[in-house]
């Protein structure tokens, strides 16, 4: 028997590809050789199951599948009958059909001329509404009010001492503080069936966001100059200044990724994450002016006095950035 | 034909395992859910035209899941058909995994799996995550058990070879640390 067993043979042993006698020999050798036993264990690790307990379809997916609509096969023959009927009718009423077709062409051309003469607005409106404005805010340099419709690729700028609250179908709210700039985009997340979600690009400033979708489905993610943050049922503060991003989760779990290093972490509540080329996390107790109660009280995004972010707390973040 | 109540039964029975398989293949929760949905939709459509025995339903679902996953990855340009080299050089070096934490190892494995063909990846995932034996895996894919075994062997050789450098580097640093530490006059 060779002194040590090569890897190919060990792999064949694991996958039961060896002949019986060869397999017995390898087994005996492993029992007596520490090095080969270690190699064998290492190879077995490759086949050890990962943590799969949390890999399950969402409640939304369960519902979709349970409600798959079952169309009886007979109904699929209907189109052929329909086409035949149309053909018979067309043969019987040719003159009328010709006149109708001419009229439709005239209407179509007229409609096209009217449409083309209107100013082109190729940005689609997205279903995010402005729930609250304090002070002044602008989208693409036009001042906005509560009735302003938000379109894809809107650049929202909130003036100093102002605040804006955005919401989507009671599924999430975002409060954006003064001196902040946020670009609102729409992105495809699944090329498989072209499902879209929102992308919020916080270029500078700070915001608080709360996501409440009971299905736990994520509808958006954040981008900053240094990070990408994805969440579902969560609440967190996000601040961007210079080349740093700060994230402080209040509840739930966030997936935070550094855009420079691709490093990823799953966040825990009441910790401060600073993202540059890496992700650094600190306990909130590091702040002299801060305590956990302050974060607990960040509930009402519509506070006109803007006590939403206690001044001391936000200043303490600024000092450390 | 499979009716709604039967569909729900089949779904509850197979969803967990099937979802793990699809998820490990695509590495995306959203895409995996879409593919899972389409697997069952295809099952219903198939059952409207052909009779499907209960014992073949699982096999049908896995085959469909595999095909849909491959199509999805092709569309996203994430799949590269790189055949595993028949003569990949394996040395006698040890410590493939060294001191790498299990979660890091699995992340690395799934990264590396992106570079191999869909069938090899599928065989490996079914073996690793679902604990299927090779006979069952071969049946799901319509291949011989010998082919399934060969695919698994080659995948393991590929992973071992690719991971070896990482494991060796960690071992080297640890070994060097032990030597320096043991020579420290204070201890």
């Amino acid at each position: 028997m060779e002194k040590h067993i090569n890897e190919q043979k060990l792999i064949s042993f694991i996958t039961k590809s060896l002949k019986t006698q060869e397999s017995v020999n390898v087994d005996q050798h492993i029992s007596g050789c520490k090095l080969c036993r270690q190699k064998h264990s290492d190879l077995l690790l490759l086949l050890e199951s990962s943590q799969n307990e949390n890999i399950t379809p969402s409640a939304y997916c369960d519902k979709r599948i349970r409600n798959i609509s079952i169309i009886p096969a007979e109904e699929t023959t209907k189109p052929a009958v329909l086409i035949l009927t149309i053909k018979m009718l067309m043969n019987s009423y040719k003159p009328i059909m010709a006149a109708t077709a001419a009229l439709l062409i005239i209407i179509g051309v007229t409609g096209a001329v009217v449409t083309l003469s209107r100013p082109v607005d190729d940005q689609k409106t997205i279903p995010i509404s402005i729930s609250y404005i304090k002070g002044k805010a602008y989208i693409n340099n036009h001042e906005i009010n509560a009735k302003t419709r938000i379109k894809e690729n809107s650049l929202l700028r909130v003036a100093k001492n102002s605040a804006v609250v955005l919401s989507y179908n009671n599924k999430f709210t975002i409060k954006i503080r003064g001196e902040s700039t946020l670009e609102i985009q729409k992105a495809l997340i699944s090329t498989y069936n072209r499902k879209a979600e929102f992308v919020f690009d916080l270029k500078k400033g700070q915001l608080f966001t709360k996501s409440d979708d009971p299905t736990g489905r994520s509808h958006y993610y954040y981008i900053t100059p240094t990070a990408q943050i994805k969440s579902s049922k969560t609440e967190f503060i996000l601040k961007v200044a210079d080349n740093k991003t700060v994230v402080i989760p209040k509840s739930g779990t966030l997936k935070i990724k550094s855009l420079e290093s691709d490093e990823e972490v799953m966040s825990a509540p009441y910790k401060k994450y600073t993202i540059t080329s890496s992700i650094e996390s600190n306990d909130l107790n590091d702040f002299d002016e801060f305590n956990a109660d302050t974060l607990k009280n960040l509930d009402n995004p519509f506070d006109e006095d803007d006590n939403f972010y206690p001044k001391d707390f936000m200043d303490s973040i600024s000092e450390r950035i | 034909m499979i009716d709604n109540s039967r569909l729900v039964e089949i779904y509850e029975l197979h969803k967990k395992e099937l979802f793990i398989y699809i998820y490990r293949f695509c590495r995306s929760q959203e895409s995996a859910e879409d593919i899972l949905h389409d697997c069952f939709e295809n099952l219903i459509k198939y059952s409207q035209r052909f009779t499907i025995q209960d014992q073949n339903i699982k096999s049908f679902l896995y085959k469909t899941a595999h095909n849909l996953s491959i199509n999805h990855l092709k569309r996203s340009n994430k799949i590269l058909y790189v055949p595993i080299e028949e003569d990949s050089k394996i040395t006698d070096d040890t410590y493939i995994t060294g001191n790498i934490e299990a979660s890091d190892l699995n992340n690395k494995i799934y990264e590396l799996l992106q570079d191999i063909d869909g069938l090899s990846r599928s065989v490996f995932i079914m073996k690793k995550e679902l604990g299927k034996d090779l006979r069952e895996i071969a049946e799901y894919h319509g291949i011989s058990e010998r082919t399934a075994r060969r695919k698994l062997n080659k995948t393991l050789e590929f992973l071992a070879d690719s991971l070896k450098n990482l494991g060796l580097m960690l071992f080297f640093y640890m070994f060097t640390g032990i030597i320096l530490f043991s020579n420290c006059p204070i201890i």
Side-chain angles (χ1 to χ4, degrees), chain A residues 40-80:
Chain A
H40 179 246
S41 299
D42 283 351
L43 286 166
L44 283 177
L45 269 180
L46 299 180
L47 284 172
E48 203 170 277
S49 176
S50 318
Q51 295 285 333
N52 287 322
E53 294 80 21
N54 295 329
I55 297 177
T56 53
S58 63
Y60 172 73
C61 178
D62 282 348
K63 194 177 169 188
R64 270 177 76 197
I65 292 173
R66 290 198 186 102
N67 291 336
I68 288 176
S69 157
I70 297 174
I71 300 166
E74 308 79 82
E75 290 194 15
T76 59
T77 63
K78 279 189 180 172

Side-chain angles (χ1 to χ4, degrees), chain A residues 133-298:
Chain A
I133 298 181
K134 174 193 156 191
K136 285 188 186 299
Y138 305 86
I139 285 180
N140 300 337
N141 296 323
H142 297 288
E143 192 172 345
I144 61 171
N145 56 45
K147 292 181 185 173
T148 302
R149 290 187 176 185
I150 298 179
K151 295 186 191 292
E152 288 178 25
N153 304 319
S154 292
L155 188 69
L156 170 66
R157 189 170 55 82
V158 182
K160 195 174 177 180
N161 300 323
S162 303
V164 170
V165 177
L166 305 177
S167 64
Y168 167 65
N169 284 350
N170 297 322
K171 292 199 169 111
F172 66 76
T173 51
I174 308 171
K175 178 169 179 178
I176 306 138
R177 280 199 62 152
E179 298 183 272
S180 299
T181 305
L182 178 77
E183 187 172 359
I184 303 164
Q185 302 163 9
K186 206 169 175 187
L188 283 176
I189 52 159
S190 168
T191 55
Y192 185 71
N193 69 353
R194 303 189 66 77
K195 225 176 272 183
E197 64 180 358
F198 304 107
V199 179
F200 297 111
D201 184 353
L202 184 65
K203 299 193 184 291
K204 67 166 194 168
Q206 51 208 27
L207 56 84
F208 173 76
T209 181
K210 183 174 178 178
S211 175
D212 263 333
D213 189 345
T215 67
R217 195 167 180 84
S218 173
H219 298 278
Y220 64 96
Y221 61 91
Y222 283 91
I223 293 264
T224 71
T226 60
Q228 183 189 88
I229 300 115
K230 201 167 166 76
S231 66
S232 53
K233 281 196 79 171
T234 56
E235 300 168 278
F236 62 95
I237 292 168
L238 177 64
K239 181 178 167 93
V240 171
D242 301 321
N243 286 324
K244 288 185 186 177
T245 301
V246 173
V247 180
I248 303 177
K250 182 184 170 187
S251 66
T253 306
L254 305 176
K255 188 173 170 184
I256 303 173
K257 180 177 170 179
S258 164
L259 294 179
E260 197 174 316
S261 64
D262 277 346
E263 183 187 345
E264 281 185 7
V265 300
M266 301 300 287
S267 71
Y270 294 88
K271 274 191 174 289
K272 177 193 159 196
Y273 296 87
T274 305
I275 306 106
T276 52
S277 57
S278 61
I279 302 175
E280 191 185 306
S281 89
N282 298 100
D283 289 327
L284 284 178
N285 291 332
D286 289 345
F287 291 89
D288 292 337
E289 302 88 341
F290 181 77
N291 58 58
D293 287 338
T294 313
L295 194 59
K296 279 180 192 165
N297 291 328
L298 289 176

